Amino acid sequence: MKTVNHWIGGKPAEGVSGNYGPVYNPATGAQGTQVALASVEEVDAAVAAAKDAYRTWGTSSLATRTAILFKFRELVAAHRDEIAELITAEHGKVHADALGEVARGLEVIELACALPLQLKGELSTQVSTRVDVAAIRQSLGVVAGITPFNFPSMVPMWMFPIAIACGNTFVLKPSEKVPSAAYRLGALAAEAGLPDGVLNIVNGDKVAVDRLLEHPDIAAVSFVGSTPIARHIHTTATANGKRVQALGGAKNHMLVLPDADLELAADAAINAAYGSAGERCMAVSVVVAVGDTGDPLIEKITARAGALTIGPGDDPASEMGPLITKAHRDKVASYVTGAAAQGAEVVLDGTGFTVEGYEDGHWIGVSLLDKVTPDMDAYRDEIFGPVLCVVRAETYEDAIELINSSRWGNGTAIFTRDGGAARRFQLEVEAGMVGVNVPIPVPVGYHSFGGWKESLFGDHHIYGNDGVHFYTRGKVVTTRWPDPADGGINLGFPSNH
């Protein structure tokens, strides 16, 4: 059986804890891989390697860093199909979706290649007689990233390229459910010339996570995952004196006004709700149909959903793959049956779906729930699966009140032809990312990703300018070079003249 080990100090590190976790192929339900789970001592070894590497990497030139990152970018692009195959084998998403994930990660590597522009600093000359003031940004030291199962390559690439471009060294703890893509990125970074210890990868479970959160040599922690874990990460790491950006869960709403192009809106709802089997923190899980849009919109969504092809991710004909684990499949299914018991209308029920020849896979079909109300579990909880809820609202004001009452504020979208309504929505809605006729408004690499309310714990969003600020700290230097002609003693208070 294949074993995925750690990457420490620039080379593979065989697990020595004796603990291993199973890695399944979600399409078959079979275990083909095991992953070494790190002990406290192995995490400490990774942090020690990063700390040692920081002594030289932290003072390396920007030219050195960017040259390596350019090479890394080319290697990731050249191996994108291989990385996508690893993602499909362990996560289950279709190959095209996995390729898209790699492409979005490459955007952030490209941003990191241009990071000298963001690290220029500022200078004010002659603020007083022969006094200059410079504001500069410097790296933090050793930083860590803890990443989720649903984007095995993209989310790590949201973190470590910017961190190392800023001069930090990095310890990555990917999800133990999908370890191979992150491990491959570590090997490609080494091939690009990244010095030993600058990027380290430790696989593990709660033992590894808790050690990273408390380790005295870790300066900052980045996290993407569910809201309860994000809250724990933020609380624990900040209590140990660390800077934290912890991105949590979501319940993303898509508001459809009566003037919207319903064909476009239906296409968008399908793509955003059922893409990647709904295992996205930016998936649309609630459509808010305003006025009389509900019935015709549901009709169009139903017709499109019935035509979707669900199957193994490595089959080019598949448009949606399985869920990550059997337990998660069963949990998602329970929301559909629970919604029916609570009074929702089940328009489409995907709970009994399977794929011929792959009966042991973690399959579920697409589900569509109508007449959902805010007191139902299917509305209140993050389902993280291919379940789309439709809520009816009489007016725009009712819809915006519904959305803003949510405890989450990750992303949202409005579909309309009215520019004034769209502008009002983007100013009034309480969410960190807003789409106007765009269902999944994930920002490009040079704008930052992050939500509001219980979708974010910490002060910085991820990548973009916020990412640069998170992985650096400011310093202000005031300099006075006296003129050789100056002299004498003056005991008076310095003045700004």
Side-chain angles (χ1 to χ4, degrees):
M1 180 180 293
K2 174 187 173 184
T3 299
V4 179
N5 288 298
H6 314 299
W7 186 272
I8 299 176
K11 59 183 181 297
E14 186 174 344
V16 297
S17 72
N19 295 322
Y20 296 89
V23 179
Y24 297 99
N25 182 331
T28 65
Q31 179 186 349
T33 303
Q34 65 178 3
V35 58
L37 303 178
S39 64
V40 168
E41 291 74 19
E42 288 170 298
V43 174
D44 287 351
V47 175
K51 184 178 180 181
D52 184 63
Y54 180 68
R55 293 186 176 94
T56 52
W57 184 253
T59 57
S60 62
S61 70
L62 291 173
T64 296
R65 298 177 210 163
T66 53
I68 292 170
L69 284 163
F70 271 113
K71 180 62 175 175
F72 178 57
R73 189 264 173 214
E74 293 307 307
L75 286 170
V76 172
H79 291 270
R80 66 176 72 201
D81 274 304
E82 175 194 350
I83 297 169
E85 288 170 2
L86 294 172
I87 295 168
T88 294
E90 294 180 352
H91 175 275
K93 66 177 66 176
V94 300
H95 188 71
D97 194 18
L99 281 174
E101 170 183 342
V102 178
R104 294 307 297 265
L106 280 166
E107 283 186 5
V108 180
I109 300 176
E110 291 160 3
L111 173 68
C113 290
L115 216 60
L117 186 65
Q118 278 76 34
L119 295 175
K120 286 193 303 183
E122 299 173 327
L123 174 67
S124 297
T125 60
Q126 201 69 4
V127 298
S128 185
T129 304
R130 288 187 292 279
V131 176
D132 302 332
V133 177
I136 62 176
R137 301 201 68 84
Q138 293 183 300
S139 56
L140 303 176
V142 181
V143 299
I146 302 165
T147 58
F149 75 81
N150 59 327
F151 288 102
S153 71
M154 184 184 73
V155 175
M157 286 191 280
W158 281 2
M159 297 177 184
F160 74 80
I162 293 180
I164 64 177
C166 289
N168 303 283
T169 54
F170 204 92
V171 179
L172 172 65
K173 208 298 288 183
S175 168
E176 66 276 17
K177 295 180 178 68
V178 288
S180 294
Y183 186 90
R184 188 70 182 108
L185 291 175
L188 290 176
E191 186 178 342
L194 193 68
D196 295 350
V198 174
L199 174 62
N200 305 274
I201 301 169
V202 288
N203 296 297
D205 51 17
K206 190 174 185 299
V207 172
V209 169
D210 286 345
R211 181 55 180 159
L212 289 172
L213 299 182
E214 69 183 20
H215 199 294
D217 291 330
I218 298 285
V221 175
S222 299
F223 171 82
V224 175
S226 69
T227 287
I229 305 302
R231 183 182 287 109
H232 168 73
I233 295 287
H234 183 260
T235 300
T236 306
T238 54
N240 284 281
K242 305 185 191 316
R243 182 180 292 192
V244 182
Q245 55 178 185
L247 281 66
K251 198 72 177 180
N252 303 313
H253 296 72
M254 177 176 138
L255 190 159
V256 182
L257 292 181
D259 73 322
D261 181 332
L262 294 189
E263 301 290 340
L264 175 65
D267 287 342
I270 290 287
N271 296 337
Y274 303 135
S276 197
E279 292 177 323
R280 296 170 174 162
C281 69
M282 285 295 286
V284 165
S285 50
V286 180
V287 166
V288 184
V290 177
D292 59 0
T293 62
D295 288 345
L297 184 59
I298 286 175
E299 181 180 347
K300 295 178 187 300
I301 292 173
T302 302
R304 287 162 169 78
L308 293 177
T309 301
I310 302 172
D314 57 3
D315 183 344
S318 298
E319 296 172 285
M320 189 183 102
L323 296 185
I324 185 70
T325 64
K326 181 181 183 298
H328 184 54
R329 187 271 312 276
D330 293 345
K331 181 179 179 182
V332 171
S334 73
Y335 281 102
V336 179
T337 55
Q342 292 177 341
E345 179 182 334
V346 180
V347 181
L348 294 173
D349 185 347
T351 58
F353 180 86
T354 190
V355 175
E356 185 177 355
Y358 294 86
E359 286 81 6
D360 292 331
H362 311 148
W363 301 106
I364 192 168
V366 299
S367 293
L368 178 62
L369 309 177
D370 189 18
K371 298 182 175 63
V372 175
T373 56
D375 59 330
M376 295 179 182
D377 292 337
Y379 178 85
R380 293 184 304 180
D381 298 344
E382 183 182 31
I383 299 175
F384 222 62
V387 180
L388 178 61
C389 299
V390 177
V391 178
R392 309 293 185 109
E394 289 295 324
T395 65
Y396 166 87
E397 287 76 16
D398 294 336
I400 196 75
E401 182 179 355
L402 174 78
I403 297 171
N404 287 348
S405 296
S406 173
R407 63 191 178 100
W408 287 294
N410 209 39
T412 188
I414 184 171
F415 277 71
T416 181
R417 292 184 174 96
D418 188 330
R423 185 176 187 276
R424 178 180 174 186
F425 178 78
Q426 69 187 43
L427 294 175
E428 293 180 344
V429 74
E430 296 177 6
M433 293 168 283
V434 180
V436 177
N437 298 319
V438 174
I440 306 179
V442 176
V444 293
Y446 37 90
H447 288 273
S448 299
F449 177 104
W452 289 8
K453 298 187 282 190
E454 290 190 26
S455 295
L456 176 70
F457 298 85
D459 298 321
H460 289 92
H461 290 179
I462 201 166
Y463 66 75
N465 286 338
D466 268 25
V468 175
H469 282 202
F470 179 76
Y471 290 124
T472 58
R473 53 186 171 181
K475 179 183 286 184
V476 178
V477 181
T478 302
T479 305
R480 180 174 183 267
W481 294 107
D483 190 294
D486 292 343
I489 296 172
N490 183 352
L491 301 183
F493 194 84
S495 62
N496 292 326
H497 298 296

